[in-house]
Amino acid sequence: MPSALARKAAPVTAAGIAFALALAAAPPAAATGTTASVRVKVTGGAYTASVGTGTVARFVFGGFYCAAGDGSPTPLTALVDADEEFGFGVQARWDAATQDFVVTSIHGDVADDSKKWTAYVNEKKITTGPCGTAIKDNDKVRWTLEAPKK
């Protein structure tokens, strides 16, 4: 039986999986394995939550190693860990253009052409992908469903 995470993951193309696995055959040597205790908040849709969780750089959504360049956990690992602990119902897809994941749904609140799931760390919008932004102890990670700014 697939894990809870595998059952929740959105379909990812075979090419995306192959590329991710090629990049992520093993964690980078620089990975520290340090756990960060963070607050994860979900806003902008019908479902809202604010929970404390621990997170670490790790494999997510079928085999992609998600860690910032220095081996730190990320906004996506925090969301996935909160999902596993509290049942957020997170779905994501691999985006070949950005070489990172895009969150497509949290607890049934679905991103579409008019609104996207956007991550903030300590109330600052991330400027890299959700697996490329480092987080640390006591950070506040917020995922908000919002209309993209034009």
Side-chain angles (χ1 to χ4, degrees):
M1 175 178 229
S3 72
L5 181 59
R7 287 191 308 267
K8 294 176 190 173
V12 176
T13 66
I17 290 173
F19 181 77
L21 291 175
L23 289 177
T32 62
T34 303
T35 299
S37 295
V38 298
R39 188 116 200 118
V40 177
K41 188 173 187 177
V42 175
T43 64
Y47 176 77
T48 61
S50 181
V51 299
T53 194
T55 189
V56 65
R58 58 176 285 193
F59 290 95
V60 296
F61 300 112
F64 180 78
Y65 191 72
C66 184
D70 64 356
S72 296
T74 69
L76 186 61
T77 62
L79 182 63
V80 169
D81 286 322
D83 177 37
E84 288 181 351
E85 190 173 354
F86 299 102
F88 283 10
V90 174
Q91 295 182 357
R93 67 173 173 76
W94 179 256
D95 181 48
T98 63
Q99 297 295 296
D100 208 333
F101 282 96
V102 173
V103 173
T104 57
S105 177
I106 300 176
H107 207 268
D109 290 325
V110 179
D112 59 25
D113 291 337
S114 66
K115 54 191 183 278
K116 307 288 182 211
W117 282 105
T118 305
Y120 293 79
V121 176
N122 299 324
E123 295 307 317
K124 183 177 178 188
K125 185 176 180 177
I126 66 171
T127 58
T128 59
C131 282
T133 302
I135 61 173
K136 61 188 181 326
D137 250 355
N138 301 313
D139 277 351
K140 292 173 179 60
V141 177
R142 177 171 53 96
W143 285 88
T144 300
L145 187 61
E146 61 188 13
K149 294 192 175 158
K150 296 181 182 197

